[in-house]
Amino acid sequence: MNGPVKLACRGVWKLFGDHAERVLAETSGKPDSEALAAAGVIGAVRDATLEVHEGEIFIIMGLSGSGKSTLVRCLSRLIEPTAGEVLFEGRDLLKADERELMDIRRHKMGMVFQHFALLPHLSVLGNVAFPLEIQGVDRATREARAAEMIELVGLKGREDYYPRELSGGQQQRVGIARSLAVGPDIWFLDEPFSALDPLIRREMQDEFLRLQSVLKKTIVFITHDFDEAIRLADRIAIMQDGAIIQTGTPEEVVTRPATSYVAEFTRDVPRAKVVSAGVLARPGTPGPVVVPASARIGEVAAKVFDEEQPVGVADAEGTPVGVLHRQDVLDILLGREPRR
Amino acid sequence: MTAATIAVPRPRRRSLGAARYWLAAAVLAGVSVALSDRLPEWMVEYPRAWRMPIESSISSAMKWLINDANFGLFTFQEFTRSISWCFNWLLQAAYGLLAHGFTIGKGEEAILIPHVSWIALIAVLVLFARRVGDRGLAVFVAFCFAYLVVFGQWASAMVTLASIVISVPFGVAAGLLVGIAAYRKPWVERAVTPVLDLMQTVPVFAYLVPILFLFGFGPVAAMIATMIYAAPPMVRLTVLALRGVPEEIKEYGRMAGCSQRQHMWKVMVPAAKSGLLVGLNQVVMLSLNMVIIASMIGAGGLGFDVLHALRRLAIGEGLEAGIAITLLAIALDRLSQAAATVPPPAHGTVRSGSWLMRNRLAVAAVVLLALSMAAGAVIPFVADYPESLTITTGKFWDHVVEWLNINLYDTITVVKTWLLVNIMLPIKGFMVALPWPVLLGILAFAGWRLGGWRLALLPLALGAFILLTGNWEKAMITVYLCGLSVVIAALIGIPLGIWAVANRRRTRATLTVIDTLQTLPSFVYLIPVIMLFSVGDFSAMIAVVAYALAPAVRYTIHGLNQVPEHLVEAGRAQGCSRAQMLWKVRLPLAMPEIMLGLNQTIMMALSMLVITALVGTRDLGQEVFSALAKADTGKGIVAGLCVAFIAITADRLIQAWSRRRKAQLGIA
């Protein structure tokens, strides 16, 4: 999980209003809400700092108006931040000129949009091949690559269809195929499943996890749905009023919410789905059955109660770290806080 | 509910306040007219000595351009001539293909290659209609072009069509490029918008004068005027269409790493296609309108036929050509609208393969047309529909006019004279006698009330121009004719709109009729008017009312339909009768929209008024028209600007009122 940092941002501000820069200068770069309000400036993103590691699914979660969409646009420089730095593979993206930025976007970034943003005049094949066409890849090569991507997202046979002929879920599959066609190093998904029906959303989430298990991309994923964040994330950043108020694994966020605002979200999340075996492991002698430390309690609970001897817990290298006690597991299943 | 009851007295008082201002203005105007004898002379008639020689300055500047201007490598005249040469070459090619055929070689050995056969052209158009529309459209197109053939209008229609075929692509391309520049660069938009405003309010004749001066008399000058006239809406619609592209698609284009050019041409323009095609339709229709009017500076074709017939008062001939224009206009409108709304492709309909395979229908059409030219050389019937088989109803219409003159002349004359003596002339006299400082003062006060000091300055500045150029009296005659026509159009149009919204069938039928009326070139409206009322102010007014009626009806329908449903329900819940519902709920709420329609009516009335100069009015339109006859650029441009300034003043004041009212009603 802790690969090298792929994308980071430090102290990013995005202020909307006529006097945005002046307000920042006058408050030495750290205006509070009152200073912003007094100047008539809206703080869409306030002092955001985060690091996304290679190969992880990093989810930015927040309600509408929390600034998550603005933040992801700052990270891809679709919106110019008012202040701060964005480091992509170690270099400051905000210092890149038009040409370099174009090159980075062509070869290293992919983005999926909430409302799909497919080009209405191109077929599925044309849409997926479009980013390659922009790069000047010849027709045969780009169409072969596009066909590959279309098969990957399970739309084989629909190559000739036009966007308006597809359902929402299918359109977003096209959006996903298109964003993957260039083999991006970083993959932005801006509320990709929010416009879909709940059942389709679930299906697309599974599809997304399947793709990621194969592709192992570095992902920045935006959502307003906390359950979706818990389900998909390696790490979550929670935003409120433009600021990031907590960053951590789903387990950390659920078991140790930083503020009462976060606690509101986590209250109804079943603990068994987020608490991992490693957290509950106590010293003891394991029986023959051993589970990985990263496994969720919900997944291993049955074994704990079925086995006669204590179930062991081992870390990623296979070293035993302890055993699971039935009382601990029962507490988690009942939604109580873990006893320490 | 309680809020509504409490709110009742307040708007009462406010509307009384507004009425007080209206009343004061009317009293002031009336008193000043009554006392005009005792007022100082300069107030009633703007002194000649205070005029400024703007007209002659413009004229001499134009003369300098033509005679002495030099860009170093070439003179201005060489510049205009080379433009003429290019367009002339294109136009001759189009004429050759559609109307005249080509002559190769000279003298006795010359070979004449005939133009495209009428049979083949109709076939191709009908097939195209079937491809972009339903069977009804194909039948309609066939009918329209069959009329042209059978009534012997084909040759003229093809000359008109040739001008359109050449000028539309240029108008569209110019509009698209300027529109893209305006979308990209805010300063371009800031620079272009006032120019567009002016171009769309300056009467069409005013365009013709400088163009006549620069490019001479003839079809090329007419075509250039057509392009300039038809491009502005394309610019506006391009900016609108590009703005309307969903934000995510714009962002996607950037995220895909498009260069600026790729972003525009591969993402934005295709995504904005439907909006841009609406622009194409507009350009086609305006081009047709202008090509007809430009017959005055030498565009041949149907417009010339009408003009020629009107000058001789050969009503029958004029009417036949007028119907031909009408059918051509409706056919082109329906075709380009259908082409604009063709649904995006479905899978399996787009053939892959070579260019030839993908475009085989277009290729087949071209081959068919070419073959028809060859066939025409052998079989005369294929080239030209034989004259002996054409029908003319000219005689019939002449008889109708004769019958009308004999049987209805007295009645019409009585009505006409009564109206003239009792309504039109007094109003005209009032407007002319109204001291200019009073009128300007009232307008400035209205501007100040509605939109602050900027809007107060606008009528003053524009009025000053009219005064300084010595056009005040003619401008007042224009205002009188236009104002009276607009009032009549409103008195007919608004009740018609109210009638039409009663149910959906009526609405649709009314809108269809209005749409069709609006596609007709303004010229056509003159024909029946002259037929019935001969020439003069009265005829002009009737033509203006007929032409300007459409927006009054359309905006009334629109305004009434968009009254929020919950307010209508609230009215019903409180037990309003139908009449109360109309007068107390729906009309007041629809009023801002209706006023915008009235604004459109004024714009259309002014543009038509200039054309009615042909039937002998004595206003600014006549100034422009006579400038055209004398190729007096200064006079034409100044008079044209005066008309535009009247239009702009009315437009800004009404828009400001409508905005304010909408804000007050909370339906902005």
Side-chain angles (χ1 to χ4, degrees), chain B residues 447-529:
Chain B
W448 178 73
R449 287 272 306 162
L450 292 172
W453 61 272
R454 268 168 193 258
L455 201 54
L457 277 182
L458 182 90
L460 289 182
L462 301 186
F465 179 86
I466 299 177
L467 280 168
L468 284 173
T469 53
N471 281 315
W472 185 262
E473 188 178 331
K474 297 208 168 67
M476 284 306 105
I477 300 181
T478 304
V479 170
Y480 127 77
L481 262 180
C482 172
L484 192 58
S485 310
V486 168
V487 169
I488 296 176
L491 288 180
I492 302 174
I494 295 175
L496 202 60
I498 294 172
W499 174 83
V501 289
N503 64 51
R504 204 165 282 179
R505 243 199 22 247
R506 275 191 203 169
T507 309
R508 203 167 34 205
T510 315
L511 284 177
T512 313
V513 172
I514 287 175
D515 283 340
T516 310
L517 282 178
Q518 281 202 310
T519 59
L520 300 189
S522 39
F523 224 59
V524 173
Y525 285 81
L526 291 180
I527 303 168
V529 170

Side-chain angles (χ1 to χ4, degrees), chain B residues 74-159:
Chain B
F74 51 89
T75 63
F76 187 75
Q77 197 170 20
E78 282 166 350
F79 172 67
T80 55
R81 289 223 173 126
S82 53
I83 292 179
S84 297
W85 185 85
C86 293
F87 282 125
N88 189 43
W89 191 86
L90 284 169
L91 197 58
Q92 291 309 324
Y95 281 166
L97 268 178
L98 288 170
H100 305 324
F102 298 98
T103 316
I104 297 175
K106 284 203 175 85
E108 304 216 331
E109 288 166 23
I111 312 165
L112 180 76
I113 303 175
H115 54 86
V116 165
S117 159
W118 57 277
I119 305 173
L121 190 59
I122 293 179
V124 166
L125 284 172
V126 168
L127 287 177
F128 176 72
R130 187 67 193 89
R131 222 178 127 63
V132 297
D134 55 7
R135 190 171 299 161
L137 181 69
V139 170
F140 180 74
V141 167
F143 164 77
C144 290
F145 283 84
Y147 171 91
L148 298 177
V149 169
V150 173
F151 283 80
Q153 305 286 340
W154 185 262
S156 293
M158 286 305 110
V159 170

Side-chain angles (χ1 to χ4, degrees), chain B residues 317-341:
Chain B
E317 262 176 56
L319 198 63
E320 231 167 51
I323 293 173
I325 294 174
T326 305
L327 291 178
L328 191 63
I330 298 174
L332 286 179
D333 179 51
R334 296 286 141 82
L335 273 178
S336 56
Q337 262 187 33
T341 51

Side-chain angles (χ1 to χ4, degrees), chain B residues 53-326:
Chain B
I54 297 177
E55 293 182 12
S56 52
S57 318
I58 294 178
S59 290
S60 37
M62 290 296 274
K63 283 217 181 73
W64 173 82
L65 260 183
I66 290 286
N67 297 328
D68 303 316
N70 198 319
F71 298 131
L73 289 176
F74 51 89
T75 63
F76 187 75
Q77 197 170 20
E78 282 166 350
F79 172 67
T80 55
R81 289 223 173 126
S82 53
I83 292 179
S84 297
W85 185 85
C86 293
F87 282 125
N88 189 43
W89 191 86
L90 284 169
L91 197 58
Q92 291 309 324
Y95 281 166
L97 268 178
L98 288 170
H100 305 324
F102 298 98
T103 316
I104 297 175
K106 284 203 175 85
E108 304 216 331
E109 288 166 23
I111 312 165
L112 180 76
I113 303 175
H115 54 86
V116 165
S117 159
W118 57 277
I119 305 173
L121 190 59
I122 293 179
V124 166
L125 284 172
V126 168
L127 287 177
F128 176 72
R130 187 67 193 89
R131 222 178 127 63
V132 297
D134 55 7
R135 190 171 299 161
L137 181 69
V139 170
F140 180 74
V141 167
F143 164 77
C144 290
F145 283 84
Y147 171 91
L148 298 177
V149 169
V150 173
F151 283 80
Q153 305 286 340
W154 185 262
S156 293
M158 286 305 110
V159 170
T160 299
L161 198 60
S163 302
I164 289 172
V165 164
I166 300 297
S167 55
V168 164
F170 283 99
V172 168
L176 186 66
L177 292 179
V178 175
I180 286 174
Y183 168 76
R184 269 195 186 150
K185 301 263 186 287
W187 67 266
V188 175
E189 199 191 359
R190 273 200 299 278
V192 160
T193 312
V195 176
L196 292 183
D197 282 348
L198 201 61
M199 283 173 85
Q200 289 188 312
T201 43
V202 165
V204 282
F205 284 178
Y207 281 89
L208 298 181
V209 189
I211 284 167
L212 183 63
F213 199 76
L214 293 175
F215 297 97
F217 186 90
V220 173
M223 208 179 74
I224 291 171
T226 305
M227 285 185 281
I228 295 175
Y229 176 71
M234 186 71 200
V235 176
R236 285 186 201 273
L237 285 165
T238 302
V239 175
L240 265 182
L242 292 177
R243 290 243 165 86
V245 171
E247 195 57 36
E248 280 196 342
I249 289 200
K250 294 177 193 172
E251 288 181 340
Y252 168 67
R254 288 171 62 201
M255 278 311 284
C258 290
S259 67
Q260 273 217 352
R261 180 173 304 180
Q262 285 173 328
H263 193 262
M264 184 53 67
W265 296 103
K266 285 185 177 265
V267 179
M268 296 299 287
V269 169
K273 194 175 135 204
S274 60
L276 295 174
L277 284 171
V278 173
L280 172 73
N281 170 263
Q282 287 284 302
V283 173
V284 169
M285 296 323 289
L286 286 177
S287 296
L288 182 63
N289 188 19
M290 190 61 172
V291 156
I292 303 296
I293 293 170
S295 58
M296 290 184 190
I297 59 166
L302 292 171
F304 177 76
D305 292 353
V306 174
L307 189 66
H308 189 59
L310 284 187
R311 282 192 178 140
R312 292 181 295 125
L313 287 181
I315 303 297
E317 262 176 56
L319 198 63
E320 231 167 51
I323 293 173
I325 294 174
T326 305

